Amino acid sequence: MSAVSDNDIFGFIRPAVDAHTLGIAVISGLLADCGYKVHIGTAGIAQALDKIQKIDNISLLGRWIIRHNITRLGFSYRLDPGDAQLAFGKVYHLLREYKLFHDQGGSLLQIYFAGLPDACAVISSEYSGRIPVFVGDETPLETLKKIGIPDSRIPKIVYEGSAYDSERLAFATDLVGTGKYHLQRAPARGGYPEFGTFRDSLVARVRYNNVYGSTPLIRAHVGPYSHDYAEARKEFRSWLEKLSATGFLDIVSVGSSQLSQSDFGKEWGDKPNGGGVPLNSEQDLRDVWEASRPMLVRTYAGTRNIVQLAEIYEKTINIAWHALSLWWFNQIDGRGPNSVRQNLAEHIDTLKYIAATGKPFEPNIPHHFSFRGGDDYTYVLSAYLAAILAKRMGVRYLVLQVMLNTPKYTWGIQDLAKARALLFLVRTLEDKSFRVFLQPRAGLDYFSPDIEKAKIQLAAVTAMMDDIDPYSSQSPDIIHVVSYSEAVRLATPEVINESIQITLNTLIEYRREKSLGNMDDMKNHADLKERTLDLVNEVQAMTALLGKKISNIYSAEGLYTILQKGVMPLPYLWEGRDEFREAVKWKTAIVNGGVRVVDDMGLPVRPIKRLQAIFED
């Protein structure tokens, strides 16, 4: 493979059936930081790749490559390895058939593949190493070197790291290496009358645990995948029964299929499932609740008829809390049929319904901006606006999800600053009628496909969770445990339980080490305080300015205006780039371990100054 030249142009594509876009956004950002032009395939390209053998579809892809003069093409597929091999093979051979490679007179010099390790191994072997493959374990520097980027084009920031990260990683390596976490027992739960019944609730469980528990409540995402829908549901019930029996898991987050979210109760026919458990009836949901006793249960919101599906969740699984994404899970991310305006209106109606039920609400929002190149201020601002909206709609409890390691090349010290700033801002809203529950989690693409390394990473990120609010022994309230097998395969009950053991044991040992003075407790870290204060001050100023410039800001039209005017940058947005051209025009880059909007010279732009310019135009 030849080194990348200054004139090379990159393109990245993935099939529509694979909704994982984070890796493409990350590598696109890295390459842009290196000074290269990057094009990401539209939703139309993604849909064409699902049925690439059709002549119109391969022609569409070919025209896209020619129009942008793409010389290096990345293909991502992070679902089933067998399907990945087949999908990549079809694309590769059709590109050859249509003579789009450089040695045939076309523009393509190189193709890359990103997928699960098994798929990477097969493709590397099948093409005799001619196709560089990426399993997701690579550091930013390793990624760029594997692509062939010259050292002279790689930004200095990529070579820098964080002392805080190194310290946690050393602690985690020692902890996992001893294997003592295997002796960690499940916490004793229960003790209040409603426990495990249909009257149980997250609020009751958190309150009881804050008095009698020593570790946070544990949530995990659970859901087997199979082309045989009946077999998938049967296996899921078996998994729930195993998890209930072992007692490590407090809240099961149902990994329902894309069709369960978009077409619940309809005839699915041959529509692609997109992964996840295929639940398609109220009886399916009741079966989930029965098999999960005494765990609390929650699942994804719908992507259409959202209020109606929320009502079904209430009466079938007594959903522990509802999660909505406001600007997301619609046409602009390929996850639902709604326009952004329609989505915002339906979500606000659903918030009113949630308020009436008394159940908590989780803003499943800020990391979706980060997935698409959003800066750290947008991460904090988007969740803060959602919290204000929820309180105004009458919601009494907020589950504040904080996704760390997003993007994964963010320094830990900046991750902590984002988490602390967001927690501080949202807690300013607390009063007798509004309470916040903190729920941190690891990043979506954080874990290595090397299982032992992934276990160490799980312990390292768990330690960071304990540093978000080091003044409270009861914080966090909930931990969303992402299983260490995330980069390789779906987590079985055995893997989920072991991941929880690592998490619980890490918390206990990390707190002990800090009490002995062997680890920095991060209470008075000067750089962390400065970063946190900067985020808080800027986001408060931005919120105040938005309130003055946008009438009825906490409405569907107001929130739409925020996105449409480019208040929250989305340089790597997949679809809707014309509609949200003001959002996609901003350039972001890694600056001092965090994500910032930068000008044409690569210099950071102060957020409030950017907003003032937006509303002066």
Side-chain angles (χ1 to χ4, degrees):
M1 182 184 72
S2 61
V4 176
S5 72
D6 292 346
N7 297 322
D8 274 315
I9 297 173
F10 290 84
F12 292 96
I13 57 176
R14 53 95 187 175
V17 70
D18 182 2
H20 295 84
T21 62
L22 181 56
I24 288 178
V26 168
I27 187 56
S28 297
L30 284 171
L31 289 169
D33 291 343
C34 293
Y36 292 98
K37 290 183 179 179
V38 181
H39 298 280
I40 297 177
T42 63
I45 294 293
Q47 291 163 6
L49 289 171
D50 279 345
K51 297 180 179 179
I52 194 63
Q53 66 274 13
K54 290 187 176 181
I55 189 168
D56 289 347
N57 289 340
I58 184 59
S59 296
L60 177 66
L61 176 60
R63 289 195 301 272
W64 180 75
I65 291 171
I66 293 169
R67 181 170 69 253
H68 294 297
N69 195 30
I70 291 168
T71 60
R72 294 175 182 267
L73 183 68
F75 181 90
S76 177
Y77 194 105
R78 293 198 172 276
L79 297 178
D80 181 80
D83 292 344
Q85 179 188 7
L86 184 61
F88 177 81
K90 288 178 180 178
V91 170
Y92 181 85
H93 289 293
L94 283 169
L95 291 175
R96 276 279 173 201
E97 185 177 327
Y98 279 74
K99 302 186 184 305
L100 292 170
F101 283 89
H102 188 264
D103 61 2
Q104 300 172 305
S107 64
L108 287 178
L109 290 165
Q110 183 66 57
I111 291 188
Y112 310 92
F113 174 80
L116 297 177
D118 289 349
C120 287
V122 170
I123 287 171
S124 182
S125 174
E126 182 176 347
Y127 295 91
S128 303
R130 298 191 308 275
I131 307 297
V133 295
F134 299 81
V135 300
D137 182 26
E138 300 83 5
T139 66
L141 182 59
E142 290 169 343
T143 298
L144 293 173
K145 286 185 174 294
K146 187 181 288 189
I147 287 173
I149 304 300
D151 288 345
S152 60
R153 298 294 294 268
I154 299 176
K156 181 181 178 181
I157 193 70
V158 175
Y159 289 95
E160 297 179 355
S162 165
Y164 174 60
D165 295 336
S166 299
E167 183 181 53
R168 283 185 298 109
L169 194 62
F171 160 79
T173 301
D174 290 343
L175 182 141
V176 172
T178 67
K180 291 181 180 178
Y181 68 85
H182 287 293
L183 303 176
Q184 183 67 43
R185 295 183 179 182
R189 302 297 193 200
Y192 57 97
E194 299 84 6
F195 180 76
T197 72
F198 207 77
R199 300 188 312 278
D200 203 354
S201 69
L202 177 70
V203 175
R205 201 165 290 202
V206 169
R207 284 176 175 168
Y208 188 87
N209 192 56
N210 283 346
V211 175
Y212 298 103
S214 60
T215 53
L217 297 179
I218 298 296
R219 164 198 174 181
H221 198 68
V222 184
Y225 172 75
S226 172
H227 292 292
D228 185 326
Y229 291 175
E231 183 59 34
R233 287 192 289 268
K234 180 180 177 182
E235 185 174 22
F236 186 46
R237 287 192 292 270
S238 172
W239 282 19
L240 292 175
E241 289 165 358
K242 290 178 182 177
L243 290 166
S244 297
T246 49
F248 283 102
L249 186 60
D250 299 289
I251 304 142
V252 58
S253 191
V254 177
S256 60
S257 74
Q258 184 65 43
L259 283 177
S260 299
Q261 300 161 51
S262 63
D263 292 82
F264 185 85
K266 296 184 178 182
E267 179 58 47
W268 290 351
D270 60 353
K271 293 180 179 179
N273 189 41
V277 184
L279 304 174
N280 197 26
S281 71
E282 292 188 21
Q283 188 56 53
D284 287 343
L285 292 168
R286 291 190 183 96
D287 289 345
V288 167
W289 189 83
E290 290 289 346
S292 63
R293 299 303 84 234
M295 297 183 289
L296 297 174
V297 185
R298 65 157 314 280
T299 190
Y300 286 118
T303 58
R304 74 170 93 209
N305 303 322
I306 301 168
V307 174
Q308 293 90 329
L309 194 51
E311 292 171 345
I312 290 172
Y313 292 156
E314 284 288 337
K315 68 181 181 181
T316 56
I317 60 173
N318 183 32
I319 189 168
W321 70 82
H322 298 265
L324 299 172
S325 304
L326 298 186
W327 298 277
W328 301 104
F329 278 61
N330 53 63
Q331 291 175 1
I332 64 168
D333 55 11
R335 300 294 291 271
N338 285 345
S339 68
V340 174
R341 271 195 176 97
Q342 290 170 326
N343 216 58
L344 287 164
E346 279 204 55
H347 281 203
I348 287 174
D349 286 342
T350 308
L351 277 173
K352 295 174 183 176
Y353 171 72
I354 294 169
T357 68
K359 292 291 182 66
F361 159 61
E362 174 190 325
N364 181 23
I365 294 169
H367 51 276
H368 288 287
F369 286 93
S370 295
F371 291 169
R372 294 158 182 88
D375 64 314
D376 292 343
Y377 302 96
T378 293
Y379 181 97
V380 177
L381 175 67
S382 62
Y384 183 42
L385 293 175
I388 296 172
L389 171 67
K391 184 176 181 180
R392 288 184 173 222
M393 293 299 106
V395 171
R396 296 185 60 195
Y397 302 99
L398 189 92
V399 175
L400 184 64
Q401 175 170 260
V402 176
M403 185 182 287
L404 304 167
N405 326 113
T406 305
K408 63 183 178 182
Y409 45 85
T410 299
W411 292 355
I413 203 76
Q414 182 69 9
D415 254 338
L416 267 188
K418 287 162 59 180
R420 287 189 180 183
L422 179 53
L423 182 61
F424 171 83
L425 289 166
V426 174
R427 279 183 173 168
T428 64
L429 305 174
E430 286 191 317
D431 54 28
K432 292 181 180 179
S433 64
F434 191 74
R435 167 76 192 280
V436 177
F437 301 136
L438 175 62
Q439 179 199 219
R441 59 160 291 172
L444 199 60
D445 77 331
Y446 175 58
F447 292 117
S448 167
D450 179 326
I451 290 298
E452 291 308 310
K453 183 176 180 180
K455 291 178 181 180
I456 292 169
Q457 291 173 319
L458 176 57
V461 72
T462 301
M464 189 195 300
M465 295 175 192
D466 195 54
D467 287 333
I468 295 174
D469 188 11
Y471 292 97
S472 173
S473 61
Q474 296 177 342
S475 184
D477 302 284
I478 310 160
I479 288 180
H480 179 175
V481 174
V482 181
S483 295
Y484 61 75
S485 67
E486 175 75 14
V488 182
R489 58 182 178 272
L490 287 171
T492 62
E494 292 75 19
V495 171
I496 292 169
N497 282 336
E498 186 179 0
S499 297
I500 296 171
Q501 286 180 300
I502 293 172
T503 299
L504 295 175
N505 191 245
T506 296
L507 281 174
I508 293 168
E509 292 301 315
Y510 190 64
R511 289 170 176 175
R512 186 178 69 84
E513 288 296 301
K514 286 195 292 187
S515 70
L516 294 173
N518 296 330
M519 305 288 291
D520 189 343
D521 65 12
M522 304 306 289
K523 289 177 181 175
N524 299 301
H525 192 284
D527 186 24
L528 174 55
K529 284 187 174 182
E530 183 177 343
R531 290 169 183 259
T532 304
L533 185 62
D534 171 65
L535 285 160
V536 168
N537 288 342
E538 289 292 328
V539 170
Q540 284 179 327
M542 294 167 76
T543 305
L545 181 61
L546 291 171
K548 294 176 182 178
K549 296 294 185 179
I550 300 176
S551 60
N552 199 11
I553 181 175
Y554 299 104
S555 66
E557 190 59 34
L559 295 172
Y560 176 84
T561 300
I562 288 174
L563 197 66
Q564 189 268 334
K565 281 189 169 292
V567 170
M568 298 186 287
L570 290 170
Y572 309 131
L573 184 68
W574 276 80
E575 195 54 57
R577 293 184 67 86
D578 289 336
E579 182 179 3
F580 299 106
R581 56 186 175 274
E582 295 301 313
V584 302
K585 74 178 184 181
W586 299 104
K587 180 181 178 182
T588 59
I590 292 292
V591 177
N592 197 25
V595 183
R596 297 288 302 271
V597 173
V598 295
D599 61 19
D600 292 339
M601 301 295 292
L603 300 175
V605 179
R606 189 177 170 212
I608 191 62
K609 293 293 185 183
R610 190 173 62 82
L611 257 64
Q612 289 169 346
I614 288 173
F615 288 99
E616 285 174 2
D617 291 345

